[in-house]
Structure formats: structure tokens, C-alpha cells
Amino acid sequence: MRMIMGLRRVLLPAGLVLTAMLTAATPALADGSTAGADVSVAQSLGGRELTVVLRRITSIPGPLHVDVISHAGSPGGVLRLSVSPTGPGNPSAGRPASGVVTSRGSVTLSGTPGAFPAVLTVDRAGPWELTVDDGSQLTRIPFQAYGQVTSPPDKAVYAGFSVAGLCLLAGLLLVVLLGRTRWLAVVAGGMVSGIAVAVTGAILSASLPLPPQPGTQVDSTVQNATDPYAGLGRTGDYSRPPAMLLLAGTTLPTGTATTVGLRVADAATGLPVDDVVVHDSALMHLMIVGPGGGFWHLHPARIAPGRFAFTFRAPQPGHYAVTAELGRRGGGVQMLRSPSGLDATGNATGAADPAPMTANQSRAIDGTTVQVALPIPVAGAPSTLRVRVGDAAVLQPWLGMLGHLIVVGPMPSGGDTGNAAQGAAVWSHAHAMDSQTVMAGGDGMAMEPMVPMAAGANGESLPDETVEAYGPTVGFTFVFPLPGIYRAWIQVERRFGIVTVPVQITVVTA
Amino acid sequence: VKSPAAAVAIALGVLIAGVVWFFATQGTGRPVTAVVGSARHIVTLTLGSPRSGDQTVTVQVTDRDGNPYAAPSLAFTAVLPTMGYSSPAMTAVATQGAGHFTAAGVELMTPGIWQFQLSLPDAAGKDQVIVPVSVTG
């Protein structure tokens, strides 16, 4: 009897601890689709500038909620959507092999800017393709559906507590029903071992790095679909060779909407690059500088593996410098400057491009008052440019950022901007991110709320571009590497339209 | 059980069985089979052992209706994108009837996620299927 009382003294607290551990450990488990947040993908499809938002997938099989956000000036019409799995499957899975459409939907754009929803279905984890077709052009957006994953430490937690629980039960049965006290050493030892394993697993679970993520870091395979922890050693370096940008054609007529094809090829093998991932809310950011100082920031449609296309209407004859930004799976965002660019022939059409703003001045752009605060930067030292767009905090995050600054130079003042940009030593793309940059001016441009930069745990997502809550002042800090005259374009989103502010900056020698 | 020694022996036995089970189920050397489809074809590719070294690749190809891909051979390359490596063009020959192809001595020189890029031309034109497979050391 004393033995049983003693046992109770040991087992009761042990049981309580065990229960506490089981409940306390649960939130720390790395289960679930932590990588599965909303994905926004900007697409210049035909004459429309769209943002396709793929909402977080919460169950597989389950619904995929897609919001198509149209911008000011995008005409109404119907977009047909479809999804098809693209990855390798297990032969015993009993589902049709990848490569065919499994679910369809459509959205009807009204012509008024805003978000237009559609719901499709995904039936398996792994890589997928969302096709958006406007009737004349289509784009294939790759995305990843993440399934439930149990990490090795989590498995240790489950196994450890299971062993401890079984030992507890066995101990009770042996002592209370059979009166065999000799076994207690084994049973108690098993229980302690089980709890030790489980506690170790629970502590490690929260702090161990995630395995390489199929889709963003490594290719999806049959093996890593079921267990991303299996097989490969985690080297931390999944990067790939640089890519090359090949323009299908280099001449086009002025004043006519022309579809220009692009190919992206691997610089080591020459093979088509089909591992472009969404970076800064687009598969590819294409920037074009025209002969009159015009600036275009487009997001070409992915029409096939390694092949993109965009529609471009060149207003003036002359040279257009072309640069693309993209990121390949495994990391390594890169800027690809086309060595050819585009040449437009024909007569000038439309109004001439507005002259760049060169000092602290204000100007109405697209009906909005824009005020710039330009420093006189010193080469090699950080300088901060700020712009105030309108008077209300209604700026929207565009491409995940409050503002974009594209800097090209040094180049001669005036003259042919397209040719000068083609040969410019500096071509940069900075982002407006923090309130500190805005505060640094000290000229009365007040601190504004800023877009959160990091997604929260448990699949929380960043505000998308339907949130009109930021600005009106945005700031950029940039170190001009060389002295000289630079052309720059600041872009923000306001009332679902992109406001582009052309500026010219003269950088002096230290 | 009459002695603590026996109890310890049993506990040790359980421990050893657990360790053996753990390593037996890791099995990185077992054949791996992946099924990848295109709009016109379905490829079932089996790698004899997903480890680096010379390996045998067997491929079964059908159209989307299940009819075998009738060709005497199949051209493919083995590509390791992270290294920027592509093998020379290789050929898998039809060995066990229509639609079944085998290539022996395919050199996968280092661990990584390899891609088998298969060309499947048919009456409708070119078609390509890429099968990625994790290969360990």
C-alpha cells in the first residue's frame, strides 16, 4: 500500500506535467502552411494593369480564393481563370496526373477600379499554375499549395508523449491490478525517457530552421512533397546561375500597341528559365525609359515556361532602354538590362513627356498635387528624397511597398533619355519602407503610418493594395555611386491609379 | 521477470528495436517514382536509387487516354539547375514493349534536385515534360 501511495505521489504530478506539456507545446509546433500567406502578382495583361491576389489556401483539397484588382483606366470585361497542377505526383495518389485544368472560374471586371473575386478549387499540395485569359492574351501564374507538414521534433513530441502515456497506463495496471512492483523501474524509466524526448522535441520545434521550401527555394519533388525534411542536407544555399534577358524583337512602330516577346534563359545552360518566383509582388518587373523621358513599369505575362510577353505603345520614335528585375527559385534577385532595348520608328504621337521636376516644387500630376523635396546629394553618401502625393493618407501599397524609386544615370541633361539610359552606369530601384526616412526631412512633412513589412505568424498576410491608408509622404534613401545628372521616377498608388513623378537630380562630388 | 537485470535487458531490447526501426524506415536508397503530365502526355519516371552515381532510369509514357507512346526511343537530358549543369542529350530505348523506356548508366554526379527533361514529339508537335527528383549522397 505504501508503494502505491508513493507511486501516486510520483505519478500524479507527472500526469499533471504531462498534460501541461501537451497543451503548452501545441502552439509551438511548426505544423501547417506557415509559408502559405496571400500572394499578390501584378500583371500587365493586354491593355490592363491588374493585380491578381491568391488568398491563403487553408485546406487541401479546398477553395482557392482569387481577387483580381483592376486599376484606374483598365476597361471592363470578362477574365477566364483556370488552375492546373504542374508538379510531380505519386503514382498511387489516385488523382489525374498534372498538366491539365482541374478547376475553372471567371471574373467580370466592371470598368470601375477595385477587387473582383473568384473561387477555384485545388485538390492537392504542390506546384500549380493559375491561368488568367482576357480573350486575346493569357498569363500563367505559378503558385504553390502547401500541405500539412510535421517536423521531426514534432514527431518526437508526439512519440515521446505517447510512450510516456502508455508507460503511465502500464504502470497503473501492473501495480494496481497485478501488484507487480518489480516492473516499476522499467515503466518509470520508460515514462521519464518519453517525457525527456518530448520536452526536447518541443523546445527544439520552435527554434529549428524550416526545411528548404519547395516552390520558393527548391523544386518540388515527390519526396519533398510528402516530407520536406527528407533527403537533402540543408546547405542554406539554393541559388542558381544568373539569367539572360532576350527580346524577341527590337523594333516596333510608334503609336501602335505592339506585343513584345521576351525570353529568359539560364546563363549556365542556356535552357529556358522556368523557376521565376514572385518577387516584390510580380514575376517580372520590366522598366522602360523612352527617348523623351517617359517611364513605364510593366509586369509581363508569363505565356509559357521561360517566355513572357507585354503590350507596349511607343509614343515617340527613338530608342527605349529596357531592364527587367526578377528572382529565381532559391534566391538571387537580379536585374537584367537588355543590351538591345527597343527602337521605335514612325511619327510622334500623343503629348510630349512632361519635363522632370528639378527642385523643391509642386505640380499637378493626374489631377493630384505632388510636392517633391529633393536634396543635393553627394556621391557616395546617403541622401533622402521625399515626395508628398495629395493631402490625405490614402496611398495604397503597390507591389508590397509604399513607393518605388527608379534611378538611372549619370546622363547628359536633356537630349535623348532612352539612349542615355541604355548606356547609363547606374540603374537602381529603391523602395519606400519606413517612417524614419520621412521624419528625417524635418521640413514639416509629418510622420505617416507605414506599411508593415513582415507577415505575421500563422499565415497572417500583409495589407494588399485595396488598403487606402498610407502616405501622403513617402521617402527614399539612396547612395548615388557616381556624381552627375540622374533621371529618377517615383511611383505610388493612389485611388487605384499609379502616379509617376519624374525628377532630375544633380549629384555632386564629395 | 524476476530480476532488475532482466528488466534492464528488456528495456535495452526495446531501445535497439527502436533504433533499427528508425534507420530501416529512412530508406533513401529505395526506388522513387514520380508521375508528371503535360496537356498531351503522362510520364511515369522511376529512378532505381535516388542517390548520386550511375543510375538506371526507367520511363513509361502514355497519352492522356492511357495509350502507350509508340516511339523506338526517348531523348532526354539530366539537368541540375542549382549547379548550372546539363548532361549531353541521352537516349532511353524502348525495352519492355511500347511506351516503356530504359536508360542505364545515367551519371548523377552530385546530390541535389535533378530534372529529367524529356522530349516527347508527336503528331501535334513538340512536347516536353520535366520530372524533378531529389537525389541524395
Side-chain angles (χ1 to χ4, degrees):
Chain A
M1 197 61 198
R2 271 178 63 190
M3 193 70 200
I4 294 170
M5 291 300 289
L7 189 71
R8 247 184 220 162
R9 273 205 295 276
V10 175
L11 290 185
L12 190 65
L16 288 173
V17 167
L18 192 139
T19 312
M21 291 303 297
L22 267 175
T23 46
T26 310
L29 301 183
D31 267 3
S33 46
T34 48
D38 292 357
V39 178
S40 289
V41 187
Q43 289 279 260
S44 309
L45 192 65
R48 293 186 180 95
E49 182 64 33
L50 304 170
T51 304
V52 181
V53 186
L54 294 95
R55 301 293 176 192
R56 180 184 174 217
I57 298 166
T58 51
S59 64
I60 296 173
L64 168 69
H65 294 267
V66 178
D67 285 324
V68 178
I69 299 171
S70 70
H71 287 90
S74 287
V78 177
L79 300 176
R80 288 195 302 276
L81 311 181
S82 62
V83 288
S84 48
T86 55
N90 197 312
S92 60
R95 285 185 296 251
S98 57
V100 289
V101 171
T102 58
S103 173
R104 293 176 197 275
S106 70
V107 292
T108 304
L109 307 178
S110 67
T112 310
F116 299 88
V119 185
L120 296 101
T121 306
V122 291
D123 65 2
R124 66 193 81 174
W128 286 77
E129 224 169 59
L130 169 69
T131 303
V132 182
D133 186 354
D134 70 357
S136 59
Q137 194 175 38
L138 59 78
T139 182
R140 303 171 196 277
I141 301 168
F143 68 98
Q144 194 82 14
Y146 290 97
Q148 292 285 100
V149 172
T150 307
S151 72
D154 293 344
K155 287 178 184 164
V157 174
Y158 296 137
F161 279 130
S162 301
V163 167
L166 284 175
C167 289
L168 190 67
L169 203 63
L172 285 171
L173 288 175
L174 282 170
V175 175
V176 177
L177 296 183
L178 305 175
R180 301 281 183 89
T181 52
R182 279 177 182 277
W183 281 87
L184 271 181
V186 175
V187 173
M191 202 178 84
V192 169
S193 310
I195 290 174
V197 167
V199 168
T200 308
I203 291 168
L204 288 178
S205 176
S207 56
L208 279 184
L210 288 170
Q213 294 291 302
T216 54
Q217 288 177 302
V218 295
D219 292 341
S220 296
T221 66
V222 170
Q223 297 110 307
N224 66 24
T226 48
D227 185 5
Y229 291 88
L232 294 177
R234 267 157 267 157
T235 60
D237 181 12
Y238 313 110
S239 68
R240 299 179 181 214
M244 302 179 286
L245 180 69
L246 315 170
L247 285 176
T250 56
T251 56
L252 73 170
T254 57
T256 310
T258 307
T259 300
V260 182
L262 288 170
R263 286 195 292 148
V264 183
D266 186 279
T269 61
L271 290 165
V273 166
D274 194 30
D275 48 31
V276 174
V277 295
V278 173
H279 155 252
D280 283 350
S281 300
L283 293 165
M284 180 191 283
H285 300 263
L286 194 77
M287 285 160 279
I288 303 175
V289 174
F295 178 78
W296 293 262
H297 182 164
L298 304 174
H299 304 101
R302 175 178 171 269
I303 54 175
R307 301 181 83 95
F308 292 78
F310 63 99
T311 304
F312 185 60
R313 186 194 300 268
Q316 294 126 15
H319 189 74
Y320 291 76
V322 177
T323 291
E325 276 178 39
L326 57 82
R328 295 188 70 178
R329 184 173 296 147
V333 176
Q334 45 197 308
M335 175 177 278
L336 312 175
R337 293 180 66 176
S338 166
S340 62
L342 293 167
D343 286 293
T345 52
N347 298 321
T349 57
D353 294 301
M357 297 166 83
T358 52
N360 292 354
Q361 53 181 233
S362 54
R363 176 191 287 182
I365 297 178
D366 300 334
T368 306
T369 304
V370 175
Q371 184 188 349
V372 293
L374 302 177
I376 298 174
V378 175
S383 52
T384 299
L385 288 70
R386 280 163 303 122
V387 59
R388 184 181 175 91
V389 181
D391 293 319
V394 293
L395 298 187
Q396 296 156 271
W398 187 47
L399 311 172
M401 301 288 172
L402 189 47
H404 299 260
L405 168 75
I406 291 86
V407 176
V408 181
M411 61 171 72
S413 179
D416 181 351
T417 320
N419 266 318
Q422 181 73 52
V426 176
W427 190 311
S428 294
H429 179 176
H431 293 131
M433 295 184 198
D434 61 336
S435 53
Q436 192 172 295
T437 308
V438 175
M439 291 284 282
D443 60 355
M445 287 190 179
M447 178 177 168
E448 273 94 24
M450 285 290 161
V451 186
M453 292 303 299
N458 303 319
E460 289 165 28
S461 295
L462 299 170
D464 64 29
E465 61 179 276
T466 57
V467 180
E468 301 180 271
Y470 304 102
T473 305
V474 297
F476 307 87
T477 299
F478 185 70
V479 179
F480 290 88
L482 298 168
I485 295 168
Y486 288 79
R487 294 295 292 266
W489 296 267
I490 295 164
Q491 294 193 298
V492 296
E493 180 170 350
R494 187 175 192 275
R495 304 290 190 215
F496 288 97
I498 307 304
V499 179
T500 302
V501 183
V503 296
Q504 181 169 307
I505 301 149
T506 302
V507 178
V508 298
T509 312
Chain B
V1 185
K2 298 291 181 195
S3 71
V8 169
I10 289 170
L12 267 178
V14 170
L15 186 71
I16 290 165
V19 170
V20 168
W21 174 81
F22 177 80
F23 284 103
T25 53
Q26 293 303 297
T28 51
R30 288 179 296 180
V32 61
T33 300
V35 181
V36 182
S38 69
R40 300 206 300 275
H41 294 106
I42 296 174
V43 169
T44 305
L45 183 145
T46 301
L47 191 59
S49 168
R51 310 189 75 144
S52 55
D54 284 3
Q55 300 297 348
T56 299
V57 180
T58 55
V59 185
Q60 187 200 343
V61 187
T62 67
D63 65 15
R64 295 287 325 187
D65 298 324
N67 305 310
Y69 178 74
S73 65
L74 192 68
F76 72 99
T77 53
V79 175
L80 185 58
T82 49
M83 294 283 282
Y85 169 81
S86 173
S87 75
M90 292 188 281
T91 306
V93 291
T95 48
Q96 304 152 355
H100 287 79
F101 305 89
T102 305
V106 177
E107 190 190 352
L108 308 173
M109 83 287 279
T110 180
I113 296 183
W114 286 76
Q115 291 181 351
F116 294 95
Q117 304 201 350
L118 296 89
S119 298
L120 304 168
D122 61 7
K126 287 182 181 176
D127 192 22
Q128 190 189 44
V129 168
I130 297 177
V131 185
V133 179
S134 303
V135 173
T136 58

